[in-house]
Amino acid sequence: LNRDSGSGHVAEDSRHWPRVSYNVSKKDAKHIVEGLVCAAKIMVAAGARELRWPGDAQQPAFKVGPLGVSDPRFVTWLQKLRTLGLQKTMTNLFSAHQMGTCRMAGSSQLGATKPTGETWEVRDLFVSDTSTFPTPSGSNPMPTCAAVAFNVAQEVIARLRNGHASRL
């Protein structure tokens, strides 16, 4: 997982479809490449016989020899990939967990949702996923997401029991 620091935007095209534009920062590109280098080492250690750099057919495949990760040819191949870096059209990037897009905070100036998970702008509208995080976690968010969902659910249950929910 990469804890990104890049930025982007969503705009509507002439057909009224959303178009996403995102720029990978130099820092993030370096982290992604280093993650790919580490993944290559793991694959060789696990018995891979051949490796290819994602999205770049110009780079020759590395044929793993008997020395595995200790092979000087492998070390040279990895260094070449580090030097090449992350090319803009090299591969598709995606986010499996959109974190921090509906931030939970103590005031509407700092976030979109209250600490209860209810949005500041719409009464009884609750958010209970990773979008409530203040920033991307940089690690698997599921345990924290489950805790957020549980706590928000407790608020919803309490409102239903007390009859304070207007549209639930």
Side-chain angles (χ1 to χ4, degrees), residues 7-163:
S7 64
H9 67 275
V10 178
E12 192 174 32
D13 69 13
S14 61
R15 295 180 300 167
H16 305 291
W17 288 37
R19 294 291 175 219
V20 177
S21 175
Y22 180 80
N23 297 312
V24 177
S25 71
K26 288 180 181 180
K27 174 184 168 188
D28 293 341
K30 185 176 178 182
H31 286 164
I32 291 167
V33 167
E34 198 55 38
L36 291 170
V37 165
C38 289
K41 290 177 181 179
I42 291 167
M43 288 187 279
V44 168
R49 296 180 185 167
E50 181 177 294
L51 297 175
R52 295 186 181 275
W53 194 244
D56 192 345
Q58 302 297 329
Q59 297 303 312
F62 177 76
K63 307 272 189 204
V64 180
L67 296 176
V69 295
S70 301
D71 189 333
R73 295 178 314 109
F74 182 56
V75 174
T76 301
W77 186 78
L78 291 177
Q79 189 53 47
K80 183 176 182 181
L81 298 178
R82 283 187 180 107
T83 302
L84 177 65
L86 188 68
Q87 304 298 310
K88 190 168 189 171
T89 58
M90 184 174 137
T91 188
N92 291 326
L93 299 176
F94 69 95
S95 176
H97 307 285
Q98 288 70 36
M99 293 178 255
T101 57
C102 199
R103 191 170 291 147
M104 187 179 282
S107 75
S108 61
Q109 288 76 34
L110 298 175
T113 65
K114 300 173 185 176
T116 60
E118 182 180 27
T119 64
W120 287 100
E121 294 182 353
V122 180
R123 184 173 176 224
D124 295 330
L125 174 62
F126 290 86
V127 180
S128 62
D129 65 1
T130 59
S131 63
T132 62
F133 289 15
T135 63
S137 64
S139 61
N140 187 338
M142 295 322 300
T144 307
C145 181
V148 167
F150 177 82
N151 286 325
V152 171
Q154 299 313 300
E155 177 66 22
V156 172
I157 290 167
R159 287 192 188 194
L160 289 170
R161 285 189 178 143
N162 295 330

